[in-house]
Amino acid sequence: MDDLQDLYQQLILDHNKSPRNLGKLEDYNRQAQGYNPLCGDKLQVFLHVEDGIVKDISFEGSGCAISTASASLMTQSVKGKTVEQARATFESFHQMLTEDSDNESDESALGKLVVFSGVCKYPARVKCATLAWHTVNAALSDSVKPVSTE
Amino acid sequence: MVTAAMKQVKMKTASPASSLDPYRIKQDFPVLQQQSNGRPLVYLDSANTSQKPQCVIDAINKFYAHDNANIHRGVYDLSIRATKAYENARGTIAKFVGASRPEEIIFVRGTTEAINLVAQTFVRNRVGQGDEILVTAMEHHSNIVPWQIVCQQTGAVLKVAPINDAGEIILDAYREKLTAKTKFVAMTHVSNALGTVNPIAKMIELAHEKDIPVLVDGAQAAPHIPINVSELGCDFYTVSSHKMFGPTGVGALYGRLDLLNAMPPYQGGGDMILSVTFEHTTYNEVPYKFEAGTPHIAGAIGFAAAAQYILDIGFDKLIAYEHELLDYATKSLATIPEVRMIGTAAEKVSVLSFVLDGVHPHDVGTILDQQGIAIRTGHHCAQPIMDRFDVPATIRASLAIYNTKEDIDALAASLKNVMEVFR
């Protein structure tokens, strides 16, 4: 169970149960859809970007605890950041889950998002944690094409 | 947490009424004698692929170690032995599915290839614009997509016979879907996602009353219920070796001899010809006409060893035990209030598909894996069924003769554990 508690930490369980920034923004000007065909997770993110800053962000969709909590924490992390900062966070987050590095400086920049560091031990679940980030990355590029984790 | 829960689990043995000893059967399967994540492996994913008994592994080893040569070619002893072993395997599979002649068995890569073969060499030539191909709402993607391809090629239309909330075919609706336009029916014998056993004898009879040929996908039926294509009178029947304790990459298509004789080849190549010149090729006779190239010889031999393994156990004993196990598992899961079963047909094989209120199946799969339990979570290659029951995915425990009541107890204890994590 120790390993499992690494994965299902209280913060993840909490954001799964009560996702923040859930729903559709009324005045969004960028959006993107994400899909994970392996587990059927579907996600849509809505952004209001003004002067290069993410003024507001929300998401809708259904998925597993890891993907829901990741989407919720992603919105908290990205809100208020510049587009460049948001992209940099995406890169660091992606790196934390997919590379065997102990890059402390990267992780310290991630703040609460380090709660997902345990996911890299579960290769089948990495896509669950990164779906929201791939999706927001696409929205920041104002991509119209739905993104897939495949 | 699990340890405490496990301590409360009393050791149970098979009831005296059942004469199949699952503990002895389990000993036949080397892969089951291992630990997974520090616990004894509990394998509950046999509908995905089954494990292989030592006798199947030995049959494949023996072929490569002693009898390996290409078939139908050499005049030397080794090739003759290989040919004999391969053709004997065809005979065993013919016996297993109740075909009257071995020529009616075509070795293929599996059920998927068998269905594609029938779609392209039989159905495609018989349908045109506006004709209909009928399937049921509980098909695996492999019994949907090949027909969609034929529809795209010909302008035919795919029709779907609906199922009820228990996951059973609605016979009256099925009957109504059999119209003058219906040119072919393809249906599963047993649903991989729900466990439902279809009343295929009746369904074949209804189709045949209108002279509509029928293919039955038997991939999920083969390890659980006896098949007799002669009694069923179906036109085509498909099985996959790996679902019935045999190796992957091989399966069989049963086809009525007169239909197979009239069908064109599926693929061109060696072994499927009698003579070739650049001007003209004469095809070999059935079944070789459909087996282009060197087949999976060792696979066919292992496949036959698996069929014989089931026949040696005997379907009477197998069915009695699996019913007992299904009943035990159904009751056991019913003690967990958050469990909602998907697929509650009166006639079922030992497949339990369910969702856990408030927890996504994917999370359940990960937590169970940490406790040594291998279980499938997802759409089970049957997305239309997930849509029918309005769930994104299910958790599926699919049981085979090597599963024991302790396996079920471990599952139930772990599910209770999941609910503790997600409380």
Side-chain angles (χ1 to χ4, degrees):
Chain A
M1 286 306 288
D2 290 350
D3 280 354
L4 269 182
Q5 275 156 4
D6 273 358
L7 182 62
Y8 292 102
Q9 293 191 38
Q10 210 48 51
L11 187 66
I12 291 180
L13 294 170
D14 171 54
H15 276 258
N16 174 52
K17 214 170 204 173
S18 326
R20 321 296 198 267
N21 301 311
L22 185 67
K24 189 175 179 178
L25 282 188
E26 277 185 13
D27 56 346
Y28 70 90
N29 52 14
R30 297 192 191 180
Q31 67 87 33
Q33 288 173 29
Y35 180 51
N36 179 350
L38 178 68
C39 45
D41 289 356
K42 279 178 193 157
L43 187 76
Q44 199 170 6
V45 300
F46 305 93
L47 287 86
H48 183 82
V49 179
E50 214 177 286
D51 304 330
I53 294 167
V54 181
K55 297 272 187 193
D56 207 356
I57 178 167
S58 72
F59 80 100
E60 273 186 339
S62 67
C64 63
I66 304 295
S67 97
T68 303
S70 179
S72 172
L73 280 153
M74 178 278 291
T75 59
Q76 284 192 328
S77 166
V78 165
K79 199 187 279 194
K81 282 197 162 93
T82 66
V83 170
E84 287 71 30
Q85 286 168 335
R87 282 227 177 86
T89 311
F90 163 72
E91 293 297 340
S92 306
F93 185 77
H94 198 258
Q95 209 172 0
M96 174 177 77
L97 293 191
T98 54
E99 285 172 27
D100 293 324
S101 73
D102 294 314
N103 197 332
E104 293 296 329
S105 59
D106 266 350
E107 294 204 359
S108 66
L110 287 169
K112 275 195 217 170
L113 298 175
V114 293
V115 74
F116 291 102
S117 61
V119 177
C120 63
K121 280 191 264 173
Y122 301 82
R125 309 303 303 276
V126 167
K127 286 172 178 175
C128 307
T130 53
L131 178 64
W133 285 94
H134 280 293
T135 312
V136 78
N137 196 41
L140 289 169
S141 312
D142 212 11
S143 168
V144 283
K145 204 176 108 208
V147 299
S148 165
T149 55
E150 291 305 296
Chain B
M1 271 183 283
V2 174
T3 336
M6 292 293 284
K7 276 180 189 157
Q8 292 166 15
V9 172
K10 287 188 188 121
M11 293 297 280
K12 294 177 184 72
T13 50
S15 81
S18 162
S19 45
L20 182 147
D21 180 355
Y23 304 96
R24 244 190 78 191
I25 298 268
K26 201 164 194 165
Q27 292 302 316
D28 292 341
F29 292 79
V31 83
L32 298 175
Q33 317 303 318
Q34 67 178 297
Q35 303 247 312
S36 170
N37 284 316
R39 290 164 197 272
L41 170 65
V42 174
Y43 188 75
L44 301 178
D45 199 18
S46 296
N48 199 350
T49 195
S50 64
Q51 297 302 343
K52 324 304 175 196
Q54 190 62 50
C55 64
V56 167
I57 299 166
D58 287 346
I60 296 166
N61 278 342
K62 180 180 169 289
F63 175 76
Y64 281 129
H66 300 287
D67 300 327
N68 180 56
N70 213 332
I71 53 166
H72 304 145
R73 286 168 176 81
V75 293
Y76 48 92
D77 176 56
L78 203 57
S79 172
I80 293 164
R81 279 211 314 265
T83 304
K84 206 169 164 185
Y86 183 73
E87 291 306 326
N88 282 347
R90 195 189 305 279
T92 304
I93 301 304
K95 185 174 69 173
F96 185 81
V97 301
S100 52
R101 309 167 63 129
E103 308 92 277
E104 292 177 319
I105 299 299
I106 295 157
F107 283 123
V108 289
R109 282 191 295 142
T111 286
T112 297
E113 188 177 50
I115 295 171
N116 278 282
L117 189 157
V118 174
Q120 290 302 316
T121 64
F122 183 75
V123 180
R124 187 179 176 181
N125 303 328
R126 295 165 67 101
V127 295
Q129 196 72 36
D131 285 339
E132 294 175 0
I133 297 167
L134 181 62
V135 297
T136 79
M138 66 176 95
E139 301 306 324
H140 187 280
H141 295 165
S142 63
N143 203 20
I144 299 172
V145 183
W147 308 116
Q148 287 175 329
I149 292 173
V150 169
C151 289
Q152 283 161 10
Q153 288 163 334
T154 61
V157 182
L158 189 65
K159 293 282 173 178
V160 183
I163 56 176
N164 63 21
D165 290 341
E168 299 163 314
I169 192 83
I170 304 168
L171 266 182
D172 285 342
Y174 167 77
R175 191 186 281 116
E176 281 168 25
K177 297 267 182 187
L178 296 167
T179 70
K181 287 181 185 170
T182 314
K183 294 292 184 286
F184 197 74
V185 175
M187 61 193 171
T188 193
H189 194 163
V190 169
S191 159
N192 73 312
L194 304 169
T196 309
V197 181
N198 272 324
I200 57 162
K202 182 70 186 167
M203 292 168 78
I204 293 167
E205 186 189 317
L206 290 169
H208 281 181
E209 278 172 12
K210 301 197 168 179
D211 293 324
I212 306 165
V214 179
L215 174 142
V216 179
D217 169 358
Q220 296 292 337
H224 299 294
I225 45 183
I227 299 158
N228 192 316
V229 291
S230 304
E231 275 176 23
L232 287 169
C234 60
D235 303 282
F236 300 99
Y237 196 99
T238 67
V239 288
S240 285
S241 157
H242 78 102
K243 305 276 194 202
M244 48 178 280
F245 317 121
T248 57
V250 65
L253 167 66
Y254 157 83
R256 253 176 49 201
L257 195 60
D258 56 325
L259 301 180
L260 293 177
N261 277 327
M263 283 152 64
Y266 180 48
Q267 292 176 328
D271 220 23
M272 55 75 72
I273 45 83
L274 284 179
S275 71
V276 178
T277 66
F278 284 110
E279 289 71 38
H280 184 71
T281 291
T282 310
Y283 301 133
N284 205 337
E285 58 194 10
V286 166
Y288 313 113
K289 181 169 79 176
F290 295 103
E291 294 179 1
T294 297
H296 189 1
I297 306 168
I301 289 163
F303 181 17
Q308 194 58 52
Y309 178 77
I310 296 173
L311 293 174
D312 288 347
I313 289 169
F315 270 110
D316 287 354
K317 279 192 203 171
L318 183 150
I319 290 171
Y321 177 65
E322 287 191 349
H323 270 227
E324 185 185 316
L325 199 61
L326 174 64
D327 192 46
Y328 183 83
T330 307
K331 284 178 179 146
S332 175
L333 292 185
T335 64
I336 303 166
E338 293 85 359
V339 165
R340 178 162 65 93
M341 295 296 301
I342 305 290
T344 50
E347 291 290 327
K348 263 184 78 169
V349 297
S350 47
V351 167
L352 299 104
S353 216
F354 58 95
V355 292
L356 212 50
D357 274 349
V359 190
H360 193 281
H362 218 167
D363 296 312
V364 179
T366 295
I367 296 174
L368 264 49
D369 174 52
Q370 287 304 299
Q371 301 177 2
I373 300 172
I375 198 164
R376 177 92 183 260
T377 57
H379 54 57
H380 319 297
C381 299
Q383 283 180 332
I385 297 182
M386 301 298 113
D387 293 343
R388 166 67 177 77
F389 288 94
D390 200 21
V391 291
T394 73
I395 305 146
R396 183 188 65 185
S398 53
L399 312 172
I401 38 174
Y402 41 65
N403 288 117
T404 62
K405 290 179 181 173
E406 285 77 19
D407 293 344
I408 308 299
D409 293 341
L411 170 66
S414 286
L415 288 173
K416 285 171 186 163
N417 223 244
V418 171
M419 293 318 300
E420 280 174 35
V421 172
F422 278 85
R423 190 167 306 261

